[in-house]
Amino acid sequence: MWFKNLQIYRLPAPWAFAPEKLDEALRPHSFTPASSNEMLRQGWDSPRGNGSLVHVVNQQMLLLLGTEKKLLPSTVVNQVAKARAAEMEEQQGFAPGKKAMKELKERVHDELLPRAFTIRSNVWTWIDPVNGWLVVDAASPAKADDVIKLLLKAVDRLPLESLRVQRSPVGVMTAWLQEDEAPAGFTVDMDTELRATGESKAAVRYVRHTLEPEEVRRHIAAGKQCTRLAMTWESKISFVLTESLAIKSIKPLDVLKENDAVTRNDDERFDGDFMLMTGELSQLLKDVVEALGGEAAA
């Protein structure tokens, strides 16, 4: 398995919190399917389906937040409520008022909810207690917030902080492009976004397009700054670094891909992939932070 997007947080390094203790803390908030009259249900699920809420490989921990959400579009509720309102008007000779219409929509919503489709989604979280990383595999901060809120609810006084660096990612990425030089161990790839800082918010995006240094410098001279930059680390992992210090679109390159011909069962393959991923990503995160001037003091 490989995470695709990293929302990054900091724990003390090392974080001396036993997996068994974490499992015990998460258990009161474990996932159970939503009842017929619930729109949303979230909770911690077993990453490997064996009942354990914390999967551990080589000290690295893997958590899984499960979410069930009912799909009941407001357009459907409004359509049914409108038809009911027309029936009421025909029976009583006048249309229902504002308050009655609101109550009618609520009744229709409750009536349709048990028949609504249910969508299941998962968000993975990796904890590296050795190096002090907590990473949520989520494309948006909002999805990561769901994980963090439930984690803080489960673990009393969790010493979790956002990752802070000495230099602005926007300023540093812009300097790399302007100087046409990536930091040691990194290469700049063919995707980037340059955005103006003024009211216009004008933006230029390159997608699978060679970045011509002079052309990029003209955009920077005109007041644009780099907000997204595709890079490759040590010829092993390609990714996109964003202005908010998220790492997205992660792809392990051929040098890291394991030989599928190796005869191993699913559990061994999963654990091997997880160990490989966490080992490489821990070093990638360390190198990204160093390229951005190191961590900022709390």
Side-chain angles (χ1 to χ4, degrees):
M1 70 168 305
W2 276 85
F3 281 21
K4 293 182 175 62
N5 302 287
L6 310 183
Q7 303 289 336
I8 308 161
Y9 302 86
R10 259 317 202 177
L11 288 166
W15 186 49
F17 200 84
E20 297 79 13
K21 189 176 178 183
L22 181 57
D23 189 296
E24 182 182 343
L26 298 179
R27 202 149 291 278
H29 308 278
S30 58
F31 178 81
T32 54
S35 64
S36 61
N37 61 350
E38 282 184 308
M39 278 293 290
L40 180 71
R41 177 67 70 91
Q42 286 184 321
W44 301 105
D45 211 344
S46 175
R48 298 300 293 146
N50 58 7
S52 175
L53 298 181
V54 183
H55 185 66
V56 185
V57 181
N58 194 32
Q59 301 184 70
Q60 304 298 300
M61 305 182 201
L62 183 66
L63 313 180
L64 176 62
L65 180 70
T67 300
E68 271 191 5
K69 186 176 182 180
K70 297 281 183 65
L71 292 183
L72 185 53
S74 58
T75 51
V76 174
V77 175
N78 291 339
Q79 186 178 355
V80 175
K82 187 177 179 181
R84 298 273 179 87
E87 291 175 6
M88 291 171 62
E89 183 176 2
E90 188 174 341
Q91 291 171 2
Q92 63 192 18
F94 58 90
K98 196 171 183 180
K99 182 180 178 183
M101 197 64 199
K102 181 183 177 185
E103 292 172 351
L104 177 59
K105 286 181 181 179
E106 290 172 354
R107 288 199 303 272
V108 168
H109 180 278
D110 293 343
E111 181 185 319
L112 295 178
L113 188 57
R115 291 181 280 163
F117 287 109
T118 301
I119 297 294
R120 167 69 190 245
S121 61
N122 295 319
V123 180
W124 298 90
T125 298
W126 155 47
I127 298 175
D128 177 355
V130 179
N131 298 295
W133 299 113
L134 188 147
V135 177
V136 182
D137 183 6
S140 70
K143 278 191 177 294
D145 284 346
D146 289 343
V147 171
I148 299 305
K149 285 175 186 175
L150 202 56
L151 199 55
L152 291 171
K153 190 175 180 181
V155 182
D156 189 34
R157 293 189 293 275
L158 179 68
L160 188 67
E161 297 180 353
S162 297
L163 174 63
R164 292 185 291 271
V165 290
Q166 293 280 0
R167 301 173 64 193
S168 156
V170 168
V172 173
M173 291 189 294
T174 303
W176 291 339
L177 289 178
Q178 189 164 28
E179 295 160 11
D180 192 25
E181 185 174 355
F186 294 87
T187 56
V188 171
D189 295 339
M190 295 192 295
D191 290 43
T192 190
E193 181 179 89
L194 296 158
R195 189 183 303 148
T197 55
E199 292 183 5
S200 71
K201 301 296 181 186
V204 174
R205 177 173 286 187
Y206 294 83
V207 180
R208 295 186 293 277
H209 190 288
T210 302
L211 305 183
E212 299 293 345
E214 289 307 317
E215 183 180 347
V216 170
R217 288 188 187 111
R218 282 197 298 272
H219 286 299
I220 293 171
K224 295 184 180 71
Q225 292 184 308
C226 182
T227 55
R228 292 170 60 90
L229 185 62
M231 307 181 77
T232 294
W233 170 74
E234 297 290 357
S235 301
K236 293 179 179 180
I237 298 172
S238 68
F239 64 95
V240 173
L241 180 62
T242 74
E243 60 185 324
S244 61
L245 203 50
I247 295 178
K248 297 188 173 184
S249 303
I250 290 173
K251 291 188 182 73
L253 303 181
D254 288 341
V255 69
L256 287 181
K257 290 182 180 175
E258 293 186 294
N259 185 357
D260 291 334
V262 176
T263 55
R264 298 183 301 166
N265 61 37
D266 288 344
D267 287 339
E268 288 174 341
R269 185 177 293 109
F270 184 94
D271 287 354
D273 288 347
F274 181 57
M275 189 161 63
L276 177 66
M277 180 193 80
T278 56
E280 297 296 340
L281 290 186
S282 286
Q283 187 60 47
L284 167 64
L285 293 176
K286 177 177 177 291
D287 288 355
V288 167
V289 168
E290 286 182 3
L292 296 172
E295 288 193 62

